[in-house]
Amino acid sequence: MPNTATLEINGQKHEFPLVKGTENEVAIDIKTLRAATGGITTIDPGYKNTGACESAITFLDGEKGILRYRGYAIEDLAQKADFLEVAFLLIFGELPNQEQLEEFHSDIKAQSLVDDDVRKIIDAFPKSAHPMGVLSSLTSALTAFNPSSVNVNSEEDMYHAIVKILAKFPVLVAWTLRKKQGLPLDYGDNSLGYVENILKMMFKKPNEEYVQSQVMVDALDKLLILHADHEQNCSTSTVRIVGSSHAGLFASISAGISALWGPLHGGANQAVLEMLEAIKEDGGDTKKYMAKAKDKEDPFRLMGFGHRVYKNLDPRATIIKVSADKVLNDLGVEDPILEVAKGLEQEALNDDYFVSRKLYPNVDFYSGIIYRAMDIPTDMFTVMFALGRLPGWIAQWREMRLNNEPIGRPRQLYIGETHREFKNIKKR
Ligand code: ACO
């Protein structure tokens, strides 16, 4: 394979190096493009062809349906690791040994108190506020309660900020839910595992003993692992780009939460459930909705189908589908929504429109069904996604800062008016 790419513009040739990743992916390094060509730039809406960074965290091959964190297959991690181990792996690059894991967990627990004044902020939100808006605001507010900026040249400072957000974020998630449900805020129980504690903080009633369900713990652990990172997606790129201005970790994560909220990204899990419910209410006619999704005059899209990079089965969807069946079975939940989902999936997998465009169910097609079985309200689904994605955002932010990446600042092709003479308001 050649090691340069040649670009010819107006008879002049420019050479650019080809760079290869560890999985043999090839990229054209155009760092010198503007300087070499006198300011010519590239246009790539949605960055479909743009590698924004070099990263050693997550590898995915959308054609083959492969997803690996730090080299480990998602299937192995979902089956054999727990969420905190995966968080450590993503952030620091290696699976922790027992001692490292215990120390990591104990450092997190030591930071798990959220300033009591944060309650005042939550109280100011109406109960009707969308939990993603509340979570993003609360995460941003953490900056005000922890004002010292992170010295990224100090591993110790960096570690401190990381364990702080890993500790306080689940509390904010649980408080967001409890506020919505009118339950008193709870500080959790540091004697529990990370995921067990999250569930207890979310669901404990003030007048009842909370009984832990292993089925729920296992299901949530797996869902969080499956969502933990996904290389340079919309929210992760947001975290990196905000962090690249040297804004702090909490502010960068808060921006990532806002990016995740949209229905084309993390908000899809809520949109999927709402769509499945609407189809059920409308008599369960999946064919009608398949036709709507294919009609270019109709803005309806089959939520939970398609993915920017997976042009084959999303491996996370395969794992989650099995998990959905098991969780519903173990919890004794019979949900007619699952039948609607299976019907839609079967039809889409055999429909030329979906097959030819390589539109397969993505991770969020089935995650909402599990969350629903766990009694998590629909508008909290994307919050649960954010909880899982937190270690990925942290890992990507840390990598970006340690690599001393330049501030993210894309170019554009200006297509507006050329110079115009200013007209006095009376003459317009
Ligand atoms: N239903 C119907 N048609 C679809 C769908 C869908 N869900 N997704 C894509 N298409 C069609 C498009 O209309 C387009 O058709 P055309 O070639 O005839 O114009 C073609 O497939 C390609 O679609 P694009 O929008 O160009 O694909 P892109 O890679 O930009 O978008 C996206 C990917 C945003 C995920 C899209 O598939 C979508 O909107 N899916 C539904 C929302 C969803 O489930 N999002 C969650 C993604 S996973 C995550 O973020 C965790």
Side-chain angles (χ1 to χ4, degrees):
M1 198 191 81
N3 50 16
T4 57
T6 309
L7 179 68
E8 189 172 331
I9 304 170
N10 292 336
Q12 205 178 339
K13 288 189 175 163
H14 306 278
E15 301 251 304
F16 298 98
L18 292 181
V19 285
K20 218 181 203 188
T22 46
E23 290 283 351
N24 292 325
E25 291 176 306
V26 179
I28 307 169
D29 178 349
I30 57 157
K31 283 193 212 85
T32 58
L33 177 70
R34 284 176 55 82
T37 59
I40 290 182
T41 194
T42 54
I43 285 286
D44 188 20
Y47 311 122
K48 290 191 178 192
N49 303 281
T50 298
C53 59
E54 289 180 346
S55 178
I57 300 170
T58 288
F59 171 71
L60 75 88
D61 182 329
E63 299 296 328
K64 295 192 187 130
I66 294 174
L67 174 62
R68 296 188 201 127
Y69 299 159
R70 301 280 190 186
Y72 295 100
I74 191 66
E75 292 81 2
D76 278 342
L77 292 171
Q79 213 188 343
K80 299 172 189 161
D82 72 25
F83 179 59
L84 215 50
E85 277 178 280
V86 170
F88 187 99
L89 169 72
L90 281 166
I91 299 168
F92 303 111
E94 296 295 338
L95 282 167
N97 60 31
Q98 194 60 39
E99 200 184 321
Q100 287 168 319
L101 185 62
E102 277 165 21
E103 192 183 332
F104 186 47
H105 193 196
S106 123
D107 292 338
I108 289 172
K109 286 192 277 196
Q111 292 293 334
S112 64
L113 283 182
V114 170
D115 195 305
D116 213 44
D117 279 347
V118 174
R119 288 168 182 264
K120 293 183 192 150
I121 303 178
I122 296 198
D123 281 340
F125 285 110
K127 272 207 185 108
S128 57
H130 193 285
M132 282 299 271
V134 175
L135 185 67
S136 171
S137 309
L138 294 179
T139 308
S140 190
L142 278 186
T143 320
F145 291 90
N146 303 270
S148 59
S149 63
V150 187
N151 172 11
V152 296
N153 297 317
S154 152
E155 265 297 315
E156 203 186 324
D157 251 40
M158 189 85 119
Y159 180 78
H160 194 61
I162 290 169
V163 292
K164 225 181 212 179
I165 186 93
L166 281 168
K168 298 185 196 305
F169 197 72
V171 182
L172 301 184
V173 165
W175 282 8
T176 302
L177 173 68
R178 296 182 77 86
K179 159 79 185 176
K180 220 175 161 47
Q181 300 195 321
L183 289 169
L185 305 185
D186 191 276
Y187 277 97
D189 179 347
N190 270 351
S191 69
L192 296 174
Y194 190 78
V195 172
E196 288 170 327
N197 191 28
I198 292 170
L199 284 170
K200 187 171 174 190
M201 274 194 291
M202 287 172 74
F203 293 117
K204 186 182 177 330
K205 301 264 163 38
N207 52 354
E208 279 173 25
E209 199 189 330
Y210 180 75
V211 183
Q212 203 71 246
S213 149
Q214 198 53 45
V215 177
M216 298 255 284
V217 175
D218 292 346
L220 182 57
D221 205 275
K222 194 170 282 189
L223 280 166
L224 297 180
I225 291 173
L226 294 179
H227 285 90
D229 195 49
H230 213 236
E231 53 118 301
Q232 308 311 316
N233 54 81
C234 178
S235 56
T236 300
S237 300
T238 302
V239 170
R240 283 185 90 122
I241 208 163
V242 172
S244 77
S245 75
H246 294 194
L249 175 60
F250 303 162
S252 306
I253 299 283
S254 164
I257 296 167
S258 298
L260 186 72
W261 190 356
L264 297 191
H265 189 17
N269 55 14
Q270 174 175 345
V272 168
L273 227 282
E274 286 166 355
M275 175 191 78
L276 294 175
E277 260 169 0
I279 297 176
K280 193 196 85 189
E281 290 306 309
D282 195 23
D285 185 356
T286 48
K287 288 201 168 49
K288 174 174 160 190
Y289 285 86
M290 287 291 288
K292 272 167 77 62
K294 293 191 279 183
D295 180 358
K296 293 289 167 202
E297 302 300 313
D298 191 326
F300 176 79
R301 278 191 166 197
L302 211 51
M303 299 313 288
F305 274 78
H307 197 277
R308 170 56 62 78
V309 288
Y310 288 119
K311 302 303 171 196
N312 197 326
L313 281 179
D314 177 342
R316 302 167 301 170
T318 314
I319 300 171
I320 237 171
K321 187 179 168 186
V322 177
S323 194
D325 272 332
K326 181 169 163 32
V327 172
L328 264 63
N329 200 23
D330 289 357
L331 292 177
V333 175
E334 275 180 32
D335 193 341
I337 291 286
L338 188 61
E339 291 316 307
V340 178
K342 284 184 173 166
L344 269 183
E345 184 187 10
Q346 268 322 303
E347 281 179 39
L349 290 176
N350 292 305
D351 188 294
D352 189 51
Y353 174 97
F354 285 86
V355 173
S356 63
R357 287 171 180 76
K358 301 185 175 169
L359 300 170
Y360 296 98
N362 59 48
V363 63
D364 285 323
F365 191 63
Y366 281 104
S367 64
I369 292 169
I370 304 184
Y371 287 137
R372 195 162 115 121
M374 293 168 81
D375 260 345
I376 296 177
T378 311
D379 60 3
M380 279 292 292
F381 291 178
T382 317
V383 165
M384 302 312 289
F385 187 157
L387 186 63
R389 185 54 54 88
L390 181 65
W393 286 332
I394 297 171
Q396 302 271 352
W397 173 86
R398 178 177 178 270
E399 179 180 71
M400 182 271 306
R401 292 305 311 265
L402 290 180
N403 288 350
N404 212 5
E405 282 176 20
I407 185 165
R409 202 305 185 184
R411 291 275 171 170
Q412 63 167 15
L413 187 68
Y414 178 68
I415 55 162
E417 299 283 351
T418 54
H419 180 252
R420 297 198 270 180
E421 289 304 328
F422 181 80
K423 272 190 204 149
N424 186 286
I425 194 159
K426 292 187 182 127
K427 292 190 180 159
R428 286 177 219 159

